Amino acid sequence: EVFANFDDGYEWFGGTVNTKYLVAAFCGDDAFDYDQGFRGKHQFWFTIQGQDEAGRGGEHDGGDDDETGTPYSIPLISNVTYIGSGAATEGVAGDGNDRGLYFRDNAGGKYWSSVFTEYVGVGVRIEDIDGDDSRKQLEDGNLLLQNNYWWAFGDASNMLELASGNQWAADSMAANENVIADPELRGISWTNGDEALDPRPLFESPISSGG
């Protein structure tokens, strides 16, 4: 667990470590950040971000100065829960509460069976600039979002709005069983020590079975 860190909760500069059961709570920047060809298999990550200062749930880069350098970052990530600062929260310092996931600089990565909720901005932004970028990683199968639940992203009410207005990203998310629906978590609270925070799903939640 990383609690109230001033910068990212976890940041990997390359490597192939495998991880489970990581918590990044109330950190001042991104909860999970990777770069420089990061790989490995990862499961059961959790973040809740503060309402005063925060970053993205996941900020994912493929490289630094040489964005075409290989290997590309393509970690395999499943069963994570990312809770932002609140869908209606404004004035959050740092990078803010603007998006759940950000893929850029040729980053790939695959998320399965996960929950993303309570961000004021978009769900995911996949960078698409001149030359190869994270959009190409999506088209090549190195970036995948599959069977995930998205809920409470500002005023976003459809997949296109969740995907930063990029139709190609929205089409990929829809084709891979991403849904906009309440995951019915037991309780969300941004107050330190409040036992009302219980991010497990209710028994009747749509994510409680059929995983």
Side-chain angles (χ1 to χ4, degrees):
E1 178 180 80
V2 177
F3 179 81
N5 192 27
F6 286 166
D7 195 32
D8 299 326
Y10 296 87
E11 185 168 9
W12 290 274
F13 296 91
T16 58
V17 63
N18 299 327
T19 69
K20 281 187 177 182
Y21 309 113
L22 302 186
V23 174
F26 305 107
C27 294
D29 199 6
D30 311 307
F32 296 96
D33 191 335
Y34 60 72
D35 202 339
Q36 297 180 359
F38 178 60
R39 300 285 178 112
K41 300 174 183 178
H42 313 279
Q43 193 174 21
F44 308 126
W45 289 357
F46 172 72
T47 184
I48 184 167
Q49 295 176 291
Q51 295 183 309
D52 55 347
E53 187 170 8
R56 289 82 189 236
E59 185 172 273
H60 305 325
D61 300 311
D64 287 334
D65 293 334
D66 182 4
E67 296 173 4
T68 62
T70 56
Y72 295 126
S73 299
I74 314 174
L76 312 180
I77 305 166
S78 61
N79 308 112
V80 307
T81 301
Y82 289 0
I83 300 173
S85 302
T89 303
E90 298 179 353
V92 181
D95 280 343
N97 186 38
D98 62 343
R99 66 201 71 176
L101 297 175
Y102 189 16
F103 294 90
R104 62 188 183 186
D105 300 343
N106 258 318
K110 302 181 181 184
Y111 277 90
W112 289 279
S113 303
S114 296
V115 172
F116 307 95
T117 187
E118 295 290 351
Y119 291 84
V120 74
V122 297
V124 57
R125 181 179 177 191
I126 301 171
E127 194 173 65
D128 177 24
I129 59 175
D130 293 341
D132 292 351
D133 208 342
S134 289
R135 177 178 179 176
K136 187 174 190 303
Q137 299 304 321
L138 176 77
E139 294 169 345
D140 289 348
N142 295 323
L143 196 166
L144 175 69
L145 303 171
Q146 185 167 21
N147 195 35
N148 302 301
Y149 271 69
W150 307 80
W151 185 248
F153 279 82
D155 296 328
S157 60
N158 57 59
M159 205 64 73
L160 184 61
E161 291 171 340
L162 277 177
S164 305
N166 293 316
Q167 190 64 59
W168 47 269
D171 290 345
S172 175
M173 292 175 69
N176 286 289
E177 302 177 89
N178 290 272
V179 297
I180 302 173
D182 189 348
E184 298 181 25
L185 305 182
R186 299 185 188 193
I188 297 175
S189 172
W190 289 271
T191 301
N192 183 19
D194 189 347
E195 293 182 2
L197 173 62
D198 186 347
R200 296 173 297 170
L202 295 167
F203 288 114
E204 63 269 24
S205 163
I207 66 171
S208 291
S209 61

